Amino acid sequence: MNKKTLIFILIAIAIGGAYFALRKTEPVTVKTAVVERGEVSATVSNTRVGTIKACRRAYLAPATGGQVAELHVKEGDKVKQGQLLMEVWNKDLKEQVKLQEAQIKENQATAKQTCLMAASAQREADRLIRLQQKNQFVSEEQVDIKSTEAKAKHSACAAAHEAITVSRANLDFTRASIDRTLVLAPFDGTVAEINVELGEYVTPSPPGIPTLPAIDLLDVSCLYVSAPIDEVDAPKIKTGMKACVSLDAFGSEKRCSGTVSRIAPYVQEKEKQARTVEVEVKLTDPKDLNDLLPGYSADIEVLLSDKRQALRVPAEAVLDGNRVLVVRDDGVLEERTFEPGLSNWNYVEVLSGLKAGDKVVLSVGQEGVKAGAHVREQP
């Protein structure tokens, strides 16, 4: 063997050794989770942000236009049902009330006078009738005249009483007209906003032209969440189902005393947006209503079904096609496909394909890790 051949063989051996040395890699460090039994629930969440709303909210305005004469409340005031909030100028109507009251008194006096005269005429007619019956030279003509006169005066008495009724009806009409100039609280609540000032002219909102209400009144003692649910998920939801509410203003805290109180009977169709169904969730625990204000953004999570002791795997460990990477006892990854059941953002139920105690690789930090790779579990 010549010198050149020996050098060539040595170089080839060196290259081969380097190749196999570089090919041998260190085990990949991964984070694992154990397949175990626990609670798994199927839930449905809203597609767009929901809103906290008051059960009762009224946008109040007077029933008739006019100049604001009195504002009896200010923003933030708590009011009782029937309390006067605002008054439109109505002095002319109040004077009409005084006039109608005086007219009633006059009609009552006239009716009393007329009825007394009718009673007197009736007594005189009765006397003539008795004299005629005793043949006291009383002609039939005189009796007829007095009887007719008595009947006429009785009719005048009845007409006078009807005049009182008419005057009272006019008084009621005038008072009703005054009521149209008053804004009363329809329920106990809090004045959220006032959009008028003294002296301004207010009018009822004409059809098709939205205007700001004179007074915005809401009842904050009863609140609920209104949130849009995708039309695909809406048929799964029924009234009475339990629900959790989370609010951006309070971080990750969840309030789980909610129940589905209403499902809209129609699908909302808005331009360039997914079709949704409005679902309302009412919180039943008074503690969950603490610090809530109408207008807060909120999300709902409706519980469709629940299993307490289901075999489950973390949702972040599941790959496309219901696949997971299982760490075998020899430290080699094995790809398995399992049959899923209930699922949510945290866990997926395992019906078959995995068993309790299996270690699965979480999706966090597993980029580039494939089946057959040697791994070392992260402590």
Side-chain angles (χ1 to χ4, degrees), residues 363-378:
S363 59
V364 178
Q366 70 168 11
E367 295 178 358
V369 180
K370 298 181 180 179
H374 289 265
V375 296
R376 178 173 55 244
E377 295 181 41
Q378 181 179 348

Side-chain angles (χ1 to χ4, degrees), residues 75-137:
E75 293 183 358
D77 284 355
K78 297 186 180 300
V79 299
K80 296 293 184 180
Q81 183 178 6
Q83 182 175 335
L84 180 60
L85 308 181
M86 188 184 78
E87 188 173 353
V88 174
W89 188 86
N90 54 16
K91 288 184 178 180
D92 56 338
L93 296 176
K94 290 180 178 179
E95 294 301 321
Q96 282 284 350
V97 168
K98 294 179 181 178
L99 177 62
Q100 295 296 338
E101 290 173 345
Q103 186 68 49
I104 290 174
K105 291 180 180 180
E106 179 187 358
N107 290 340
Q108 288 174 337
T110 301
K112 184 177 181 180
Q113 177 188 12
T114 305
C115 292
L116 288 174
M117 294 178 65
S120 176
Q122 184 64 52
R123 289 193 298 271
E124 185 176 355
D126 292 340
R127 284 194 295 270
L128 290 177
I129 292 173
R130 286 195 299 271
L131 290 174
Q132 185 186 37
Q133 291 174 348
K134 294 179 180 180
N135 297 319
Q136 295 295 324
F137 305 103

